[in-house]
Amino acid sequence: MYTHSDFIVMRENRDAFEKMKALLDAGVGNLVIYGPEGSGKTHMISVGAEIAEKDGKVIPTAAIMLRMDLDLDDDFFDMLGTIPALFIDEVEAAVEHPATAKLLELMIAERNRLGLLTVFASRQTPEELGLTDLAAAMSDFQVAHIEPMGDDILERSVTALREQLPAKEGRTISDEACKYLAATSKSLTELKNKVNFLLMFADVDPNTVIDEAIVRELINR
């Protein structure tokens, strides 16, 4: 499950995250976040829904297509037009289902009329979707590109975490310790847990610069 606690703002996703956060702060607006598979779009919109709390909901386009194929008579489609902060994932799948594209077009118009917040995640820009009506409906959407993090994600993430996470009593982590933490962690979640422990809960003196030796002692106990 994608959560805010596992999300790291970095160069590749900063523009998209800041635009999404600005909409969340305003409570209104349209945004499409586009980027290749594996770039973190689903994680980002899940974070957006978490920030929006009870007002936010993530719905995959595939779920909409399935309900249309099964001709389900429920309140689902009415709900799409009234959720205060709606995040729709994999909107490029709509090109495979013209009826879905038409529904999204109508939904956008209704949500704009009500002044609600709508965020789409897609591998394509609105212009590249290949559906004239849907692209036209999305013409007033802000657009933000998100890129894959790259092979050095752990090493760059640990330095970002050092700056982003709260630190107790002025402590920080040295560059060499950051490299050691990146080299000995298997995932972003593991890395974030280690950095959080060192900055907030480790038994060290105030204003300590936590170096590699201290990390080895504290983490490998």
Side-chain angles (χ1 to χ4, degrees), residues 156-220:
R156 292 191 300 112
S157 293
V158 70
T159 56
L161 287 168
R162 179 179 60 182
E163 304 304 322
Q164 294 175 21
L165 292 178
K168 184 180 179 182
E169 302 173 327
R171 66 185 66 174
T172 188
I173 302 173
S174 71
D175 291 342
E176 62 168 349
C178 286
K179 291 181 180 180
Y180 174 78
L181 286 165
T184 56
S185 299
K186 296 179 180 179
S187 68
L188 283 174
T189 299
E190 178 185 347
L191 181 63
K192 191 166 188 176
N193 288 339
K194 288 178 179 178
V195 174
N196 185 57
F197 166 74
L198 292 168
L199 290 176
M200 287 297 297
F201 304 106
D203 185 14
V204 297
D205 294 332
N207 301 309
T208 297
V209 177
I210 300 172
D211 60 18
E212 182 178 337
I214 296 175
V215 172
R216 287 176 181 271
E217 178 185 356
L218 294 173
I219 297 296
N220 297 330

Side-chain angles (χ1 to χ4, degrees), residues 24-180:
L24 287 164
D25 290 342
V28 62
N30 298 317
L31 173 67
V32 58
I33 298 169
Y34 77 97
E37 185 175 357
S39 56
K41 300 182 298 296
T42 301
H43 194 170
M44 180 171 291
I45 63 173
S46 297
V47 169
E50 184 179 343
I51 293 172
E53 297 180 332
K54 61 182 179 65
D55 289 336
K57 191 170 185 63
V58 176
I59 297 180
T61 299
I64 301 173
M65 294 167 62
L66 178 62
R67 279 177 164 81
M68 297 192 73
D69 287 339
L70 296 177
D71 196 24
L72 295 179
D73 184 17
D74 56 24
D75 297 329
F76 175 78
F77 298 112
D78 291 336
M79 176 190 69
L80 292 179
T82 58
I83 297 171
L86 178 64
F87 302 81
I88 293 189
D89 200 11
E90 301 173 327
V91 74
E92 72 278 355
V95 302
E96 304 168 9
H97 201 308
T100 303
K102 186 62 178 178
L103 173 68
L104 292 178
E105 177 193 351
L106 295 173
M107 183 202 74
I108 291 168
E110 176 64 9
R111 294 183 62 79
N112 285 344
R113 184 183 72 82
L114 296 174
L116 302 177
L117 186 158
T118 307
V119 178
F120 286 169
S122 173
R123 290 197 299 268
Q124 299 171 307
T125 66
E127 294 78 13
E128 293 170 340
L129 286 173
L131 292 168
T132 303
D133 292 341
L134 181 56
M138 296 172 64
S139 62
D140 67 338
F141 275 56
Q142 295 185 59
V143 178
H145 187 216
I146 182 172
E147 302 174 2
M149 293 295 188
D151 294 336
D152 61 344
I153 176 63
L154 290 178
E155 186 168 335
R156 292 191 300 112
S157 293
V158 70
T159 56
L161 287 168
R162 179 179 60 182
E163 304 304 322
Q164 294 175 21
L165 292 178
K168 184 180 179 182
E169 302 173 327
R171 66 185 66 174
T172 188
I173 302 173
S174 71
D175 291 342
E176 62 168 349
C178 286
K179 291 181 180 180
Y180 174 78

